[in-house]
Amino acid sequence: MAGSWLSRRRLLAAGGGVVAAALAPAAAAGPVVSRLGDSLLDRSALYFVSYDGLVNNQSFQLNGILTHAGQQYAAWYTATRDVRIARRALPGGAWQTITLPHRLTVNDSHNVICLGLSPADGRLHVAMDTHNSTIYYTKSEPGLVTGGAWSAARFGPVQRSLDGVSPGAMTYPQFVVAPSGRLQLFYRTGGSGNGTNELAEYTTAGWTRLGRWSSATGSHTTNGVTSTTRNMYVHGLTYRGNRLHVAFTWREGNTGVLCNQGGLANHDTCYVYSDDQGRTWRNGAGAQVGTTGGTPISVTSPGLIADPLTVDHGLMNQESQAVDSAGRPHVVISYVPGRFTQCVSSYAAQRRQYGRVFHVRRDPAGAWQKREIPVPPNSTGRSRLVFDAADNAYVVLPFGRVVAASASSGWADWSLLYDGAGLNAFGEVVVDYERLAAERVLSVMYQQSSSGTTPSALRVLDLRLGG
């Protein structure tokens, strides 16, 4: 029944299929998912598992798939490790593919491909193949995304800098378009447990490196042990109007803070925002807590914590966030709740067995509320949070499953809408935020499960959200 309409009153049967319960239909304003179609990008995309993920489907990618002006773009590595980008005319045109002159250098799932678009000159930007290393970067000629032939010849050479500007050894490049129309690149320098977040910005005059906006220093003590280095892992970078919202978690450098070395040194869900496109940063109460290129946000900055949690619960980093139409931030996090254990001793095994997903939101009074989503992820992987036009919330869980809650309930009535049956998705998926905003259609890029290094199919599932 993967292709049928599934209302929010439908439940997942014990055997894994979908059954329609004998319940009243959902209200018109409630969340609804309709499966529109599923298209093939590559029959044999590159497949290997590292850090529990695939290099073609890390859900934190901004962006592995994106839409602009009725055209959708997707990027991945082929079985021969080549970089491939495809384009199609929406809603259902055929994918046209081109191959860029670069091959993935190492079997590391961090080395994702990210796409960005600069509205001022119509260029498509590609950042790729970097994990604590020098970036590989290219951009198209002006006007590629506004018309003309789709050709690899319209891209410049692959560089090891941003047009001569060195961002340093980086990880997690993420492109965001600011309200000014400038293309921004957020990324980490340094490593896990000892790194800083930085910001660079592109205009038609070129790239500018604006500097650090998070700090690695400061002291954090847990279980009688003090850690003096860390890094900030962001759950997203979301503009709503002129405000840039960022939820995040910290990872400590001294893993001695853990109750057991089989855990993960992530702690606390935190929140900051910027009203000047990432130049200065404020906590939820409006107090300034950091300046990009000046005094950055640190673990000792006041008023950051939205949901406190110690390092002992396998809290996932880089999960997901979204902002509703009223400008209120919502965050999805996942960890092993204390009812199962107060000390995660095997991160992967216990997250698969006991991990749960939570919806954390800021209410109109400014307080943070949290609710467990009653569908276990059964995975170490991350989920994606999006909204429809009525502010109903949808979370795309690992394996392509979709749960949702209605705004009218205060996001309290979470249930399964789409069970992902027949997808055979590996785990994490990548979503197209721009198409959802423009068309109420959520495109989900997923790779089918395989084994070892046997290539597998990479596909795009299209779901309509809302009635």
Side-chain angles (χ1 to χ4, degrees):
M1 292 183 64
S4 64
W5 284 78
L6 300 176
S7 80
R8 66 185 179 91
R9 293 292 187 181
R10 294 187 178 184
L11 307 175
L12 181 64
V18 176
V19 294
L23 299 172
V32 178
V33 171
S34 169
R35 186 182 187 276
L36 299 179
D38 192 300
S39 59
L40 178 69
L41 283 169
D42 192 334
R43 294 187 184 278
S44 57
L46 184 64
Y47 188 99
F48 60 84
V49 179
S50 74
Y51 299 98
D52 299 313
L54 302 180
V55 71
N56 287 330
N57 274 93
Q58 292 282 20
S59 73
F60 54 77
Q61 288 173 255
L62 285 177
N63 295 280
I65 182 170
L66 64 83
T67 289
H68 178 76
Q71 299 279 346
Q72 188 171 52
Y73 303 84
W76 70 97
Y77 297 103
T78 69
T80 54
R81 311 178 74 86
D82 291 298
V83 174
R84 184 160 292 170
I85 305 178
R87 182 175 78 173
R88 67 170 172 172
L90 296 174
W95 289 102
Q96 299 175 296
T97 63
I98 61 174
T99 301
L100 298 185
H102 180 72
R103 289 184 170 177
L104 181 68
T105 58
V106 62
N107 279 6
D108 186 332
S109 64
H110 291 80
N111 292 43
V112 298
I113 306 171
C114 293
L115 302 176
L117 186 146
S118 48
D121 56 12
R123 294 182 189 266
L124 188 65
H125 301 252
V126 187
M128 53 195 162
D129 197 6
T130 179
H131 180 197
N132 298 341
S133 59
T134 305
I135 191 173
Y136 291 91
Y137 165 78
T138 184
K139 67 179 186 299
S140 75
E141 64 184 36
L144 176 73
V145 301
T146 58
W150 178 240
S151 167
R154 298 187 70 185
F155 285 83
V158 175
Q159 312 171 37
R160 302 306 304 275
S161 69
L162 301 172
D163 294 334
V165 175
S166 174
M170 70 152 68
T171 309
Y172 310 123
Q174 297 178 312
F175 289 111
V176 181
V177 177
S180 65
R182 294 184 176 187
L183 179 65
Q184 297 183 311
L185 178 63
F186 290 83
Y187 57 96
R188 187 189 76 194
T189 55
S192 172
N194 189 7
T196 61
N197 285 358
E198 297 207 26
L199 171 60
E201 197 169 68
Y202 174 84
T203 68
T204 55
W207 283 97
T208 302
R209 185 177 180 179
L210 300 181
R212 298 185 306 154
W213 58 279
S214 77
S215 172
T217 61
S219 295
H220 178 80
T221 301
T222 302
N223 296 325
V225 177
T226 297
S227 176
T228 58
T229 66
R230 68 204 43 81
N231 73 285
M232 173 195 287
Y233 279 118
V234 301
H235 292 308
L237 301 147
T238 308
Y239 276 104
R240 172 67 73 170
N242 288 322
R243 179 162 293 181
L244 174 60
H245 301 263
V246 181
F248 62 93
T249 186
W250 296 108
R251 174 175 291 182
E252 296 302 318
N254 184 353
T255 57
V257 299
L258 294 164
C259 61
N260 188 291
Q261 290 302 298
L264 194 67
N266 294 340
H267 63 93
D268 298 322
T269 299
C270 303
Y271 170 77
V272 292
Y273 70 87
S274 173
D275 285 338
D276 56 6
Q277 300 179 82
R279 271 64 174 176
T280 58
W281 300 91
R282 298 182 181 275
N283 63 20
Q288 185 171 317
V289 291
T291 304
T292 298
T295 302
I297 303 162
S298 75
V299 72
T300 57
S301 298
L304 300 182
I305 297 177
D307 184 64
L309 189 70
T310 69
V311 295
D312 298 328
H313 290 276
L315 176 66
M316 174 55 80
N317 49 277
Q318 296 166 288
E319 195 112 15
S320 188
Q321 68 173 42
V323 181
D324 64 31
S325 64
R328 295 185 294 261
H330 298 241
V331 190
V332 166
I333 60 175
S334 61
Y335 60 88
V336 177
R339 67 179 183 270
F340 297 114
T341 180
Q342 294 292 343
C343 180
V344 169
S345 57
S346 176
Y347 168 76
Q350 289 181 304
R351 271 190 59 94
R352 289 190 186 98
Q353 184 175 6
Y354 301 123
R356 296 296 185 270
V357 180
F358 297 83
H359 172 222
V360 181
R361 65 181 178 89
R362 196 172 188 211
D363 66 23
W368 290 92
Q369 309 293 334
K370 181 168 75 170
R371 182 178 295 272
E372 182 174 334
I373 296 174
V375 179
N378 300 322
S379 170
T380 61
R382 304 167 179 87
S383 301
R384 294 285 91 188
L385 171 65
V386 297
F387 286 103
D388 67 15
D391 276 343
N392 300 309
Y394 302 75
V395 174
V396 187
L397 296 170
F399 315 116
R401 297 165 297 159
V402 181
V403 296
S406 65
S408 61
S409 73
W411 301 284
D413 57 352
W414 289 96
S415 62
L416 183 74
L417 299 194
Y418 182 78
D419 71 349
L423 297 181
N424 190 31
F426 165 82
E428 291 187 15
V429 299
V430 178
V431 303
D432 184 341
Y433 297 101
E434 288 78 8
R435 187 180 186 191
L436 177 61
E439 303 179 15
R440 296 189 299 120
V441 174
L442 179 66
S443 288
V444 178
M445 187 168 75
Y446 68 96
Q447 189 160 354
Q448 293 185 327
S449 293
S450 185
S451 61
T453 58
T454 302
S456 67
L458 185 70
R459 306 187 67 93
V460 176
L461 170 70
D462 293 329
L463 302 170
R464 182 172 296 281
L465 304 188

